[in-house]
Amino acid sequence: MKAWRWHRGVAGLLLLGACTSPSPDLVIRDVNVIDLPAGQLVGAQTVVIDEGRIVKIGSGRVARGSVEIDGSGKYLIPGLIDAHVHVDHADELNLYPAFGVTGAMVLRGLPQHLTWRSEIADGARFGPRLFTAGDYMDGYPPYMQPMMSFEDVESARQSVRQQQTAGYDFVKVYSRLSAEQHAAIVKETHSGGRCVVGHGNPNIPLPDLIAHGQDNIAHGQDLIRWYFDSANDPNGIDRVVDALRGSGVTVTANLSWTDGLLAQGSDLEALLARPVARALHPAILQPFRPENNRYIRNAEEWVPEVRE
């Protein structure tokens, strides 16, 4: 806002006042900025943020901010997005910003996730910006319980419509849908302006999965498990890459998931001793503890398989 005071005298108009403006919300001074597009580190920068937007990055003088941070010796990067999370307890949401994650995609959403998403957007709850699927969508019988499963195409379509009406951001598909169900789910979801994210599918060849229009494959290991001839298929990578190149289908490698499963089956005590585990609500840790952990029960069978 500009405040001007005018005085009319013999010489005409004389400007007496000066321009004033309110302080920006946040100023971070003397911080190292990582310029991702250029691949460069730019030192001693001042970053000015006002009304939720970066309005200046540079080394010149700026007005003092309502909040000021001395960034000397520290680094400023764009907020990270975790593209595959499962949030079971509201307390987990506090941890994401602590690790620089300002956006997260929830790949199994229930009504409480819609509530948490709204509370975060309104400033009533601390956490990353959430994008959430609805519940898993799978064929019958489903891969595991509990998840939605369908014996026919129309019930799958109806579920998509219900999820869209409820306000979920995208649809999550699982690995036992028939080809007809999968194609119908993708078509129905796209007609509502949303995306389809989820697993590969042993019932659907990769070229057909791509042709149906699934927007994202949420596990890199699905490509190896079902679209390689074997774990040692020398041409598997080239064949999968050739199929995906230019298709518009993205892949979330999700390698940390594989590491976490192996750790549960082979060194659970070390996993539970990590500092982040001590920060979690006790209820979140119950499925991981030895007496409850399904991966330990099946470790002899699946740990060698996952390692391969």
Side-chain angles (χ1 to χ4, degrees):
M1 297 290 292
K2 292 184 176 180
W4 302 95
R5 290 197 302 147
W6 297 92
H7 175 74
R8 183 178 299 277
V10 174
L13 296 174
L14 176 65
L15 178 64
L16 297 179
C19 176
T20 61
S21 62
S23 299
D25 296 333
L26 174 64
V27 175
I28 305 172
R29 298 187 183 275
D30 298 320
V31 70
N32 295 302
V33 173
I34 298 176
D35 182 343
L36 291 181
Q40 295 178 343
L41 178 65
V42 186
Q45 297 293 291
T46 295
V47 180
V48 182
I49 299 165
D50 197 36
E51 296 184 355
R53 289 184 171 272
I54 297 172
V55 296
K56 181 178 180 181
I57 300 177
S59 56
R61 295 180 61 188
V62 298
R64 297 194 65 82
S66 300
V67 176
E68 298 223 358
I69 295 175
D70 180 4
S72 302
K74 297 181 174 63
Y75 299 84
L76 189 65
I77 66 171
L80 303 173
I81 294 177
D82 193 327
H84 191 140
V85 307
H86 294 271
V87 183
D88 297 319
H89 195 287
D91 281 10
E92 293 179 69
L93 297 168
N94 298 326
L95 291 176
Y96 288 96
F99 287 89
V101 176
T102 58
M105 293 176 62
V106 178
L107 267 75
R108 187 198 181 197
L110 300 169
Q112 66 260 31
H113 296 98
L114 297 175
T115 300
W116 297 340
R117 184 187 66 185
S118 297
E119 290 173 348
I120 291 169
D122 293 340
R125 181 181 294 278
F126 183 65
R129 183 182 181 190
L130 290 184
F131 305 89
T132 181
D135 203 352
Y136 302 129
M137 299 186 69
D138 205 9
Y140 186 84
Y143 178 79
M144 63 181 179
Q145 298 287 355
M147 61 170 58
M148 291 191 297
S149 62
F150 310 96
E151 292 188 273
D152 60 82
V153 169
E154 183 51 40
S155 59
R157 287 198 190 99
Q158 182 179 357
S159 179
V160 170
R161 294 191 290 269
Q162 291 170 341
Q163 292 182 57
Q164 292 179 335
T165 299
Y168 292 101
D169 298 297
F170 54 95
V171 164
K172 166 75 176 286
V173 291
Y174 226 83
S175 56
R176 289 188 176 176
L177 292 164
S178 69
E180 293 76 17
Q181 288 172 326
H182 183 273
I185 287 170
V186 174
K187 184 176 180 180
E188 190 71 33
T189 303
H190 286 176
S191 70
R194 290 173 172 82
C195 293
V196 176
V197 173
H199 286 256
N201 192 316
N203 303 316
I204 307 172
L206 182 57
D208 292 349
L209 191 86
I210 294 170
H212 290 173
Q214 181 168 324
D215 300 281
N216 171 270
I217 297 172
H219 285 275
Q221 83 275 2
D222 282 359
L223 298 173
I224 299 171
R225 182 187 302 173
W226 291 316
Y227 303 132
F228 280 38
D229 292 336
S230 69
N232 299 311
D233 179 1
N235 299 315
I237 292 175
D238 289 341
R239 191 168 59 251
V240 167
V241 169
D242 287 343
L244 290 168
R245 182 186 290 116
S247 68
V249 179
T250 59
V251 176
T252 303
N254 206 15
L255 297 177
S256 62
W257 179 85
T258 306
D259 289 341
L261 291 190
L262 290 173
Q264 288 182 64
S266 58
D267 197 1
L268 181 60
E269 289 186 8
L271 185 70
L272 294 177
R274 293 179 182 178
V276 68
R278 294 197 296 271
L280 293 172
H281 191 284
I284 301 169
L285 290 177
Q286 291 311 309
F288 294 91
R289 298 196 183 283
E291 58 272 21
N292 301 325
N293 195 300
R294 64 189 174 114
Y295 298 110
I296 286 182
R297 291 196 297 269
N298 302 315
E300 290 186 5
E301 175 185 345
W302 65 259
V303 166
E305 178 184 340
V306 173
R307 282 197 172 124
E308 182 183 16

